[in-house]
Amino acid sequence: MFRAHVSRERRGGKPPQAFNVHAKAFASGPGPAGNGSGVRLSTLAIESPNRRDFLFLATGAVGAVGAAAVVWPLIDQINPDASTLALSSVEVDTGAIAEGQIVTVKWRGGPVFIRHRTKKEIDEAVNTPLSELKDPQTDQERAPKPEWLIVVGVCTHLGCVPLGHEGPYDGWKCPCHGSIYDTSGRIRSGPAPLNLAVPEYAFLSDTKVKIG
Amino acid sequence: MSGTSTYVPKSAFARWFESRLPIVGLVHSSFIAYPTPRNLNYFWTFGAILTFMLAAQIVTGVVLAMHYVPNATMAFDSVDHIMRNVNYGWLMRYLHSNGASMFFFAVYFHMFRGIYYGSYKAPREVLWILGVIIYLLMMATAFMGYVLPWGMMSLAGATVITNLFTAIPLVGVSIAHWLWGGFAVGNPTLNRFFALHYLLPFMIVGVVVLHVWALHVAGQNNPDGVEVKNVERDTVAFTPYATIKDVFGLSVFLIVYAWFTFFIPLYLLDPDNSNMANPLVTPSHIVPEWYLLPFYAILRAIPDKLAGVIALFAAIALLAFLPWLDTSPVKSAKYRPLYRFFFWIFVVCCVGLGYLGSQEVSDRGTLVSRILAVGYFGFLLIVLPLLGLIEKTKPIPASIADAVLVKAAPAE
C-alpha cells in the first residue's frame, strides 16, 4: 500500500498532499521517526528502488523457487517409475507364429500385435496408393521385413485394443468407435487420427525378435 | 437474505457456548428460521436428497475401503471377498454402486429444475457455477470409482477416458503417461485412482458448503422466479415447512434407491465388468455408465479425435456460462412460452444422446447423434441468447404472495 502511493505520486497522477497525509500517519508511530515531518518522509520514500523493495523482491523470488522445488516432486512422483521403465523390452519367438496368424504379446503393460502376413496381405498393403491414406506411410517403412508386421495394439483414437482380421481391409477394426486399419496397420477410416504405432524392434535371429 | 428470527440461547451453557462459537446460531438461522419461498414445489427437495446421497456415499465408501485392496492383482478378488465373506459386504457394495447412479439421477433433476426455472440468473451466478464444479467433481469421482473393481469395463473405461488427453497436441501422450504412471493403464493407475476416489468426495463436501453458503446469501429461487420482496408475506420458515417436505421427498426417493439395491442391484452394471481386467483385450461393445452417455455420444458423433474431445469438454463447460448465455430478464419458464418449448427439446436432445451413446456405432446412429448434438449446442449457444431478444414473455406476478393468491383466487 505504501509502495502504491509512491509510484502514483511519481506518475504525477495524485496531488502530493494526499500522500503526505498517509506518510504522516505512517510517521506518527512511536520511535524517533515520529519526529520527522511528512514532507521529509515522502522525499525519502521516492528514492526507489530502496532497500525494502529489494528485500521484498528477493524474498519473493527465493520463496517462488522454493515452492517450485517442492511442487515438482509432487507432480513428478506419479510419472512412470523406475521399475516400470526397467520393463521396457521383451523377446518373442516368432518361429511358432504361422502364416496368417496374429499373436498378441504384452509389452510395457499393453498389447503388441505380431502379424505373420500372407502374400495377399502384403500385396494389398504395398499396392495401396499413398493418396488414399489419412496418415501416409509406405508399407516398406512400417514393415522392413514384409512378412512380419509388428505394431502397438492400441487404437490411436482412445486406446482400445482393435480386433484382428476384421473390417473391409481385413486388417483391424476397433470395437470402441469403429476405426478401420488395413493389413499394414494404417488408419483407413473412423475417428482415429494416426496409424497403429510401430514400436522399436530388432530381429536377433530369423526366429527371435526383441521389442523395445 | 437474513432470517426473521434469530437464535436465542436458552440455558446458561448455551449462552456461554454461543458467545465462544456461534455454531448453534448459524445452524438455527440456516436450517430452522431460514425463510424459504412459500411456493416451492417438490423439485426443490433434490438439494436435500443430494446432501443425503453424498453422506450415504461417503459412509458406505469408507466402509468398503476397509475391505478393498487397491492393487491390480488383488482388487478384483477383494471385491468378490466383500460380496461373499464380509458381513453385509454385499449390502454396502450394492448401496454404494447403486448410490452413485441415484446420486446422478437426483443431480440431473436438480440441474434441469435449475435450467427450467432460470435459477442460474442474477444474483445466483456464483451459486450455479459452484454447482457445475460439484457436477464435474462428481463425474471424476464416479469415473474413478468405476475403475476400482478392476473388471473389463473398468479397464476399458479408464483407458478411453485417460486417452482423451492424448488428443492434446504435442504434450498429450506425456500427460497420458503421467496419469497412468506407465505406458498403459495398470497397477499405478489403479492405486492413484483409489487415493483420489477417497479424496474427491471430501472436496465435494467443501464445494457443497460454498454452494449452500451462496444459496443462503442470494436466497432460493422459486417456481415463479420472482425475488422475495416481503419476508412476512412471501416466505415460510425452513423448519418445519421445507424440512418436512424434504423428508417426504427423500423418503419417496429412498424407495426407488432401495428398489434398485435389493431387487435389481446389477441392472445398471455391465456384465463385462464381472470379468477381471485384461489389458490385451477390449470388450466388443464398451459403454460408460449411463450418467455419462450423452457426453459419450457427443464424442462419438464427431469424426475427428481432437474436435470430438473438445466438443465433449465444451458440452460440460458451457453449462458454467448459462447465466450469461441466457439473455432474458425473466427467470421462470412458466412465463416464457418459447423458452419452455425449447427447454423440452433440449431435454429430448440430452435423453436421445444418452440412448444413442448406449448403442453400438452405426451410420444411422451417428447421423442422429449429430443432429441431437447440434440441438444440444444450438440450445445453449443460439436459442438462449436469441430468445431474450425476441421472446414475448407473459406478465410475471408482482410478488410470490401474489402468485400464490392468484392460484387460490378462483375459490373466492
Side-chain angles (χ1 to χ4, degrees):
Chain A
M1 201 161 160
F2 187 58
R3 281 157 37 86
H5 275 280
V6 174
S7 62
R8 204 177 286 160
E9 194 193 32
R10 229 189 286 143
R11 267 186 271 118
K14 203 168 184 191
Q17 208 184 344
F19 173 76
N20 286 345
V21 173
H22 188 82
K24 229 175 226 163
F26 179 77
S28 65
N35 299 329
S37 80
V39 180
R40 245 182 49 209
L41 238 181
S42 77
T43 334
L44 249 173
I46 54 175
E47 283 171 18
S48 159
N50 59 25
R51 199 152 66 162
R52 181 164 301 203
D53 287 335
F54 172 76
L55 284 173
F56 182 77
L57 286 171
T59 311
V62 171
V65 170
V70 175
V71 166
W72 176 245
L74 285 172
I75 293 172
D76 191 43
Q77 53 86 19
I78 71 165
N79 262 321
D81 61 32
S83 71
T84 307
L85 295 173
L87 292 171
S88 55
S89 77
V90 61
E91 285 180 22
V92 184
D93 177 12
T94 55
I97 304 173
E99 194 173 293
Q101 198 183 4
I102 304 174
V103 164
T104 307
V105 297
K106 198 171 174 183
W107 175 62
R108 302 204 309 187
V112 166
F113 299 141
I114 303 179
R115 183 168 187 155
H116 192 169
R117 296 192 296 184
T118 61
K119 180 89 176 53
K120 180 170 166 281
E121 288 169 344
I122 298 170
D123 289 344
E124 279 171 4
V126 171
N127 295 333
T128 305
L130 287 185
S131 57
E132 275 182 27
L133 299 171
K134 200 168 166 183
D135 179 15
Q137 247 186 333
T138 63
D139 189 59
Q140 178 61 29
E141 285 173 58
R142 298 177 55 78
K145 264 179 117 150
E147 60 272 33
W148 296 104
L149 176 74
I150 301 178
V151 289
V152 174
V154 171
C155 181
T156 57
H157 182 223
L158 294 174
C160 297
V161 181
L163 304 168
H165 296 299
E166 295 258 355
Y169 301 94
D170 201 34
W172 282 273
K173 181 185 178 204
C174 183
C176 294
H177 306 93
S179 291
I180 306 289
Y181 298 90
D182 64 13
T183 52
S184 188
R186 292 174 297 197
I187 180 66
R188 302 304 289 269
S189 69
L194 301 172
N195 301 334
L196 292 179
V198 177
E200 217 173 274
Y201 66 87
F203 278 91
L204 303 176
S205 70
D206 277 353
T207 59
K208 191 160 238 185
V209 65
K210 183 183 170 204
I211 300 168
Chain B
M1 199 159 79
S2 57
T4 45
S5 69
T6 44
Y7 170 64
V8 183
K10 290 194 180 71
S11 67
F13 173 75
R15 271 193 298 281
W16 178 87
F17 192 80
E18 191 68 7
S19 62
R20 283 156 181 80
L21 181 68
I23 191 168
V24 182
L26 179 69
V27 170
H28 185 272
S29 65
S30 304
F31 301 106
I32 294 173
Y34 186 73
T36 61
R38 61 195 296 168
N39 56 344
L40 296 187
N41 59 32
Y42 272 103
F43 286 106
W44 264 264
T45 62
F46 283 96
I49 290 170
L50 286 162
T51 312
F52 175 87
M53 284 315 303
L54 178 58
Q57 288 302 85
I58 288 178
V59 170
T60 52
V62 167
V63 168
L64 287 169
M66 295 177 185
H67 306 282
Y68 169 79
V69 184
N71 179 288
T73 56
M74 293 184 273
F76 189 82
D77 288 340
S78 77
V79 173
D80 207 48
H81 163 72
I82 289 170
M83 293 300 291
R84 290 165 190 270
N85 304 332
V86 175
N87 299 333
Y88 292 103
W90 60 272
L91 179 62
M92 293 304 137
R93 181 180 173 227
Y94 281 156
L95 282 174
H96 197 71
S97 65
N98 286 292
S101 281
M102 297 311 291
F103 203 160
F104 276 95
F105 181 64
V107 91
Y108 284 131
F109 268 98
H110 194 65
M111 290 165 72
F112 278 120
R113 185 270 288 156
I115 295 173
Y116 186 84
Y117 292 111
S119 298
Y120 45 81
K121 292 187 191 182
R124 298 183 184 82
E125 302 94 324
V126 172
L127 171 62
W128 173 262
I129 290 169
L130 288 167
V132 175
I133 293 170
I134 294 172
Y135 177 51
L136 269 175
L137 288 172
M138 277 175 66
M139 289 198 285
T141 310
F143 156 66
M144 289 195 252
Y146 191 60
V147 175
L148 302 185
W150 209 239
M152 287 292 263
M153 277 298 172
S154 301
L155 182 69
T159 302
V160 169
I161 300 290
T162 50
N163 262 291
L164 292 177
F165 294 93
T166 61
I168 302 168
L170 302 176
V171 293
V173 174
S174 306
I175 291 177
H177 289 172
W178 179 71
L179 289 172
W180 296 331
F183 303 103
V185 175
N187 186 56
T189 326
L190 175 64
N191 213 157
R192 67 194 52 178
F193 275 18
F194 176 68
L196 294 173
H197 183 71
Y198 208 121
L199 167 71
L200 288 190
F202 297 99
M203 293 179 68
I204 294 178
V205 169
V207 186
V208 165
V209 169
L210 296 180
H211 191 65
V212 173
W213 185 7
L215 172 74
H216 284 207
V217 169
Q220 283 160 294
N221 186 33
N222 59 78
D224 289 289
V226 289
E227 298 297 322
V228 170
K229 295 195 174 75
N230 181 329
V231 174
E232 278 299 300
R233 286 183 77 220
D234 294 344
T235 68
V236 290
F238 192 96
T239 302
Y241 298 94
T243 319
I244 293 297
K245 196 163 184 162
D246 284 346
V247 169
F248 183 72
L250 177 62
S251 303
V252 174
F253 186 83
L254 287 180
I255 293 173
V256 182
Y257 183 13
W259 176 267
F260 271 94
T261 302
F262 293 109
F263 292 98
I264 45 171
L266 295 170
Y267 182 72
L268 295 167
L269 287 181
D270 198 296
D272 270 320
N273 224 26
S274 305
N275 294 319
M276 189 171 157
N278 175 0
L280 302 187
V281 185
T282 297
S284 59
H285 177 46
I286 71 152
V287 277
E289 288 289 83
W290 68 269
Y291 38 81
L292 304 175
L293 285 172
F295 303 112
Y296 187 63
I298 288 174
L299 170 77
R300 288 203 309 196
I302 292 167
D304 181 75
K305 180 177 174 181
L306 180 60
V309 173
I310 290 173
L312 181 151
F313 283 109
I316 302 166
L318 271 180
L319 294 174
F321 296 94
L322 262 186
W324 297 277
L325 289 170
D326 187 343
T327 52
S328 174
V330 177
K331 289 197 187 87
S332 174
K334 215 167 155 180
Y335 304 103
R336 300 184 62 190
L338 272 177
Y339 175 72
R340 193 161 57 202
F341 171 75
F342 283 110
F343 169 83
W344 287 112
I345 290 187
F346 179 64
V347 173
V348 168
C349 286
C350 293
V351 175
L353 282 168
Y355 170 75
L356 289 163
S358 73
Q359 301 300 302
E360 290 197 40
V361 187
S362 68
D363 288 343
R364 225 175 92 237
T366 306
L367 178 70
V368 181
S369 299
R370 283 181 189 160
I371 294 169
L372 295 179
V374 168
Y376 182 95
F377 286 107
F379 176 78
L380 295 173
L381 293 173
I382 299 166
V383 174
L384 277 182
L386 274 187
L387 275 189
L389 306 174
I390 59 169
E391 186 179 35
K392 196 169 177 333
T393 56
K394 292 188 197 164
I396 54 169
S399 71
I400 293 172
D402 286 327
V404 176
L405 293 176
V406 165
K407 217 192 241 174
E412 290 169 32

